[in-house]
């Protein structure tokens, strides 16, 4: 598009892409020479779009000067990587995955989702299911999104320093990540084994059975019970910690 705020421009609209079996490569680039925000690979003024890569070791690379894949509430776009060791990335100015769904499915997959605009999030109101396999997901930011790692050993890489984040163990293998510097950052994860930051790696394997715990930067806080301060402190000592109010 060449004029500001005059019309929408989507690369794929009201359509489905089915690549079938085999090792496929899908590259989509959406350019925007205007200041119009309604530019996307697939946008919200559209019926649900399906990107189905099928079986095989596939590569998908999407680049957009606007949004990546952006859906409305009723017609959520879907990316299905299918069986195989797949590589998929969205690099966009605004949110890479907005109110959309990504299924990585079976295989050792690598997914990279980033938004370059500091006021937008790599994933926003989206759901990601990594499926079976040892998967590696890289993202720069998240707002109200969910990731289920499925079976296998999975790593989520957050492109920032760990000191800016709080990881709370809600129950069993369910965690919530928030940011101490961004009140809107929120990422809920389940069945994920490792979180990687620019400065450190954190294993969640030994946190899943430790009750409710909170990781803030280099410190780990766990909630302990006791009928008195002395007994609660003793329970904290069993965890190699000390009691704080």
């Amino acid at each position: 598009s060449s004029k500001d705020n005059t019309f929408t421009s989507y690369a794929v609209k009201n359509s489905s892409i089915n690549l079938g079996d085999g090792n496929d490569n899908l590259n989509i680039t959406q350019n925007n020479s205007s200041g119009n925000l309604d530019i996307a690979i697939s946008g919200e003024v559209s019926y649900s779009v399906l990107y189905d890569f099928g079986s095989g070791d596939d590569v998908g690379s999407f680049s957009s000067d606007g949004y990546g894949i952006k859906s409305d509430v009723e017609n959520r776009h879907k990316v299905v990587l299918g069986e195989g060791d797949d590589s998929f990335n969205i690099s966009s100015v605004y949110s890479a995955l907005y109110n959309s769904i990504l299924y990585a499915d079976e295989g050792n997959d690598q997914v990279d989702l980033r938004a370059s605009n500091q006021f937008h999030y790599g994933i926003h109101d989206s759901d990601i299911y990594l499926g079976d396999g040892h998967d590696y997901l890289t993202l720069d930011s998240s707002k109200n999104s969910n990731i289920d790692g499925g079976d296998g050993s999975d790593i989520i890489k957050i492109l920032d320093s760990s000191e800016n984040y709080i990881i709370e163990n809600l129950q069993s293998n369910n965690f919530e990540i928030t940011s101490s510097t961004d009140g809107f950052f929120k990422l809920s994860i389940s069945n994920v084994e490792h979180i990687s930051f620019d400065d450190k790696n954190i294993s969640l394997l030994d946190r899943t059975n430790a009750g409710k715990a909170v990781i803030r930067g280099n410190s780990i806080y766990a909630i302990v019970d006791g009928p008195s301060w002395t007994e609660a402190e003793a329970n904290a000592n069993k965890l190699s910690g000390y009691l704080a109010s």
Side-chain angles (χ1 to χ4, degrees):
S1 57
S2 60
K3 294 184 179 180
D4 293 355
N5 303 315
T6 53
F7 54 86
T8 63
S9 178
Y10 304 150
V12 182
K13 179 178 180 180
N14 298 331
S15 303
S16 296
I17 296 178
N18 296 282
L19 298 181
D21 296 343
N23 302 330
D24 304 302
N25 196 320
L26 177 63
N27 298 307
I28 300 177
T29 300
Q30 175 70 312
N31 296 319
N32 177 23
S33 60
S34 74
N36 186 0
L37 292 182
D38 200 7
I39 304 296
I41 300 296
S42 291
E44 57 188 344
V45 186
S46 170
Y47 294 116
S48 178
V49 172
L50 172 65
Y51 298 89
D52 188 346
F53 284 80
S55 298
D57 300 336
D58 305 309
V59 177
S61 182
F62 296 179
S63 176
S64 173
D65 288 342
Y67 285 91
I69 299 176
K70 182 182 183 183
S71 315
D72 66 15
V73 176
E74 296 182 356
N75 299 290
R76 301 184 76 188
H77 305 316
K78 299 178 179 66
V79 177
V80 181
L81 299 183
E83 181 180 351
D85 298 338
D86 306 304
S87 175
F88 179 74
N89 74 83
I90 302 178
S91 176
S92 56
V93 174
Y94 310 121
S95 295
L97 203 67
Y98 189 106
N99 199 25
S100 301
I101 307 173
L102 188 151
Y103 299 95
D105 285 351
E106 184 176 351
N108 302 325
D109 305 306
Q110 297 190 40
V111 179
D112 193 313
L113 303 169
R114 309 188 194 192
S116 61
N117 187 291
Q118 63 177 327
F119 299 110
H120 289 256
Y121 296 82
I123 56 176
H124 188 157
D125 289 335
S126 293
D127 298 306
I128 297 175
Y129 301 93
L130 295 177
D132 295 349
H134 307 317
D135 306 304
Y136 195 104
L137 169 63
T138 301
L139 55 89
D140 53 4
S141 54
S142 167
K143 182 177 180 181
N144 297 331
S145 293
N146 306 288
I147 298 174
D148 186 332
D151 292 335
S153 181
D154 306 304
I155 300 173
I156 294 178
K157 167 71 174 182
I158 298 178
L159 299 170
D160 202 352
S161 174
S162 62
E163 65 182 5
N164 298 324
Y165 295 90
I166 301 166
I167 304 174
E168 182 176 359
N169 184 358
L170 301 179
Q171 59 179 11
S172 183
N173 57 354
N174 296 312
F175 295 82
E176 181 177 274
I177 304 176
T178 54
S179 171
S180 58
T181 60
D182 180 356
F184 293 104
F185 186 106
K186 183 178 178 183
L187 177 62
S188 299
I189 61 175
S190 59
N191 303 309
V192 172
E193 287 68 34
H194 305 278
I195 301 293
S196 177
F197 294 95
D198 290 344
D199 59 332
K200 68 187 299 185
N201 299 317
I202 297 175
S203 173
L204 301 179
L205 294 174
D206 53 354
R207 319 287 181 208
T208 57
N209 296 315
K212 188 171 183 179
V214 177
I215 302 173
R216 290 188 176 96
N218 293 320
S219 300
I220 301 174
Y221 301 87
I223 297 175
V224 295
D225 296 319
S228 67
W229 179 274
T230 300
E231 293 190 36
E233 186 172 31
N235 291 333
N237 294 154
K238 293 178 182 178
L239 299 176
S240 300
Y242 60 90
L243 192 62
S245 59

Short mmCIF file of all heavy atoms in Angstrom, two decimals, residues 13 38 50 105 137 146 185 204-205 222 244:
data_model
loop_
_atom_site.label_atom_id
_atom_site.label_comp_id
_atom_site.label_asym_id
_atom_site.label_seq_id
_atom_site.Cartn_x
_atom_site.Cartn_y
_atom_site.Cartn_z
N LYS A 13 -5.73 -14.22 2.35
CA LYS A 13 -7.02 -13.86 2.94
C LYS A 13 -8.09 -14.86 2.49
O LYS A 13 -8.14 -15.24 1.31
CB LYS A 13 -7.41 -12.44 2.50
CG LYS A 13 -8.75 -11.95 3.03
CD LYS A 13 -9.02 -10.52 2.57
CE LYS A 13 -10.36 -10.01 3.09
NZ LYS A 13 -10.64 -8.62 2.65
N ASP A 38 -3.05 -1.69 9.20
CA ASP A 38 -3.79 -2.89 8.81
C ASP A 38 -3.09 -3.60 7.65
O ASP A 38 -3.67 -3.83 6.60
CB ASP A 38 -5.23 -2.54 8.47
CG ASP A 38 -6.14 -3.77 8.55
OD1 ASP A 38 -5.65 -4.84 8.99
OD2 ASP A 38 -7.31 -3.67 8.18
N LEU A 50 -5.87 -21.13 7.04
CA LEU A 50 -5.12 -22.29 7.49
C LEU A 50 -3.82 -22.42 6.70
O LEU A 50 -3.84 -22.44 5.47
CB LEU A 50 -5.95 -23.57 7.32
CG LEU A 50 -5.22 -24.89 7.58
CD1 LEU A 50 -4.79 -25.00 9.04
CD2 LEU A 50 -6.11 -26.08 7.19
N ASP A 105 3.07 -29.87 16.22
CA ASP A 105 2.88 -31.31 15.99
C ASP A 105 4.17 -32.10 16.23
O ASP A 105 5.14 -31.59 16.77
CB ASP A 105 2.29 -31.56 14.60
CG ASP A 105 0.82 -31.23 14.52
OD1 ASP A 105 0.20 -30.97 15.57
OD2 ASP A 105 0.26 -31.20 13.40
N LEU A 137 11.53 -22.91 21.06
CA LEU A 137 10.71 -21.75 20.69
C LEU A 137 11.39 -20.48 21.17
O LEU A 137 11.69 -20.32 22.36
CB LEU A 137 9.32 -21.87 21.30
CG LEU A 137 8.42 -20.63 21.22
CD1 LEU A 137 8.11 -20.25 19.78
CD2 LEU A 137 7.12 -20.85 21.99
N ASN A 146 -0.48 -18.49 25.67
CA ASN A 146 -0.32 -19.80 26.29
C ASN A 146 0.55 -20.70 25.41
O ASN A 146 0.40 -20.72 24.18
CB ASN A 146 -1.68 -20.48 26.49
CG ASN A 146 -2.65 -19.61 27.26
OD1 ASN A 146 -2.52 -19.42 28.46
ND2 ASN A 146 -3.65 -19.07 26.57
N PHE A 185 3.10 -7.92 30.15
CA PHE A 185 3.71 -9.19 29.76
C PHE A 185 3.11 -10.32 30.59
O PHE A 185 3.12 -10.29 31.80
CB PHE A 185 5.23 -9.13 29.98
CG PHE A 185 5.96 -10.36 29.47
CD1 PHE A 185 6.71 -10.30 28.31
CD2 PHE A 185 5.89 -11.57 30.16
CE1 PHE A 185 7.40 -11.42 27.85
CE2 PHE A 185 6.56 -12.69 29.70
CZ PHE A 185 7.32 -12.62 28.55
N LEU A 204 13.02 -26.24 34.68
CA LEU A 204 11.77 -26.30 35.42
C LEU A 204 11.48 -27.71 35.92
O LEU A 204 10.48 -27.93 36.60
CB LEU A 204 10.61 -25.83 34.52
CG LEU A 204 10.74 -24.40 33.97
CD1 LEU A 204 9.54 -24.07 33.09
CD2 LEU A 204 10.86 -23.39 35.10
N LEU A 205 12.36 -28.64 35.58
CA LEU A 205 12.10 -30.04 35.94
C LEU A 205 12.04 -30.25 37.44
O LEU A 205 11.23 -31.04 37.93
CB LEU A 205 13.21 -30.93 35.35
CG LEU A 205 13.25 -31.01 33.82
CD1 LEU A 205 14.46 -31.80 33.37
CD2 LEU A 205 11.97 -31.65 33.29
N ALA A 222 9.58 -20.16 47.87
CA ALA A 222 8.57 -21.21 47.98
C ALA A 222 7.68 -20.91 49.19
O ALA A 222 8.15 -20.39 50.21
CB ALA A 222 9.22 -22.58 48.14
N ALA A 244 10.98 -15.98 55.29
CA ALA A 244 10.82 -14.53 55.15
C ALA A 244 9.34 -14.21 55.12
O ALA A 244 8.53 -15.00 54.64
CB ALA A 244 11.49 -14.03 53.88
#
